[in-house]
Amino acid sequence: MIDVAVFASGTGSNFYNLAINPDLKKLINIKYLVCDNPKASVIEKAESLNIKTLVVNPKDFDSKKYYEEYILKNIENVKYIFLAGYMRIISPYFLEKFNGKIVNIHPSLLPLYKGKYSIKRAYENKEEFIGISIHYVNEEVDGGEILAQDKFKVDYKLSLDEVTQKVHELEHGLYPKTIIKILTDN
Ligand code: GRF
C-alpha cells in the first residue's frame, strides 16, 4: 500500500472519485486530504470517508515558505501527491522535496488553456474538441510532462454547464486509470 495525499481547494468531486475507486483502493492509502480553503466542501467529503483532513489556511502564515513547511512537516511518509483542483502554485522548494511525485489534473488539452477558467475559454472560442490532461507538476503552471489526455467533440447545443459536466465525467474516468498506470510502471 502506497501512502499518498490529495490536495484540493474546492468541491472535491475528483478527490471523492479517487477515494472510492475500488482498483485504486488496492494500491493507495489516501492518508491526507490537504485543503487550503477552510470553506471548501471537499473537507466534508473527506470526513465522510474518514480520511484525515489537513486544513491549512495560507492566511495563517507569514509566508508561502512557512505555509508549505507546515504542510511538509505534516505529511510525513507520503510518497505521491495528487492535485485535484488545488488552486495554488507549488513552489520550487516544495517540488524538490517530492521530485517527480506530484501529479495534477487540468481541464484542458494542454498546452492549450493553462491557468483558470479553461473550460469557459475553450467553449467561448468554439473549440472543436474540449478535453483534459493529467501531467506531472513542475515549476511552470500546468506545464509538466503530460501523462494522459482525453477529449470529446463539442456539441454547441449544450450549455457551458453541460459541457463542464462532460469534462468532469472524463476526469473521473481518466484520473484513477492514470494513477494506477503511474504506480504500476514505477
Ligand atoms: C477539475 O476540473 C480539475 O481538473 C481542476 O479543478 C477542478 C476540480 O474539480 N484542476 P473538483 O473539485 O474535483 O470537483
Side-chain angles (χ1 to χ4, degrees):
M1 214 47 127
I2 303 167
D3 284 336
V4 309
V6 176
F7 284 26
S9 307
T11 315
S13 72
N14 279 285
F15 160 77
Y16 189 81
N17 179 65
L18 294 179
I20 62 165
N21 183 286
D23 297 322
L24 261 184
K25 272 193 197 170
K26 292 179 200 148
L27 285 174
I28 62 171
N29 168 37
I30 303 182
K31 216 171 163 193
Y32 306 100
L33 164 76
V34 176
C35 180
D36 59 322
N37 172 8
K39 292 189 180 139
S41 50
V42 67
I43 298 167
E44 289 151 36
K45 290 188 174 70
E47 285 168 357
S48 76
L49 294 166
N50 286 321
I51 292 174
K52 197 165 173 188
T53 60
L54 191 62
V55 181
V56 195
N57 190 342
K59 288 188 188 140
D60 295 337
F61 297 84
D62 288 339
S63 71
K64 182 165 181 147
K65 179 127 197 273
Y66 291 149
Y67 162 74
E68 289 190 334
E69 270 174 355
Y70 180 86
I71 295 174
L72 283 166
K73 236 182 268 155
N74 283 281
I75 56 167
E76 274 170 15
N77 301 322
V78 159
K79 298 285 180 287
Y80 282 87
I81 294 174
F82 299 113
L83 308 183
Y86 181 63
M87 300 304 288
R88 282 184 190 275
I89 296 169
I90 296 184
S91 76
Y93 163 77
F94 193 108
L95 286 174
E96 201 190 309
K97 307 271 178 200
F98 274 89
N99 196 14
K101 299 275 195 290
I102 307 183
V103 176
N104 183 38
I105 184 160
H106 185 74
S108 81
L109 289 168
L110 290 173
L112 299 173
Y113 302 105
K114 293 177 178 179
K116 288 183 180 174
Y117 312 115
S118 313
I119 307 170
K120 187 169 187 276
R121 287 185 286 137
Y123 182 87
E124 284 172 355
N125 280 346
K126 298 259 181 302
E127 291 287 353
E128 186 180 6
F129 291 95
I130 286 185
I132 61 167
S133 305
I134 294 166
H135 64 95
Y136 281 123
V137 175
N138 67 8
E139 277 112 45
E140 199 197 323
V141 177
D142 301 322
E145 182 197 338
I146 294 170
L147 294 156
Q149 292 186 308
D150 203 355
K151 63 181 180 182
F152 58 89
K153 199 166 182 225
V154 184
D155 171 359
Y156 282 95
K157 287 203 271 312
L158 298 181
S159 66
L160 174 60
D161 281 353
E162 287 166 324
V163 169
T164 301
Q165 187 53 38
K166 276 173 81 88
V167 170
H168 287 316
E169 281 162 21
L170 281 193
E171 293 185 326
H172 297 164
L174 193 63
Y175 209 4
K177 272 192 220 151
T178 309
I179 292 175
I180 290 168
K181 189 163 183 335
I182 295 167
L183 299 176
T184 45
D185 287 355
N186 287 296

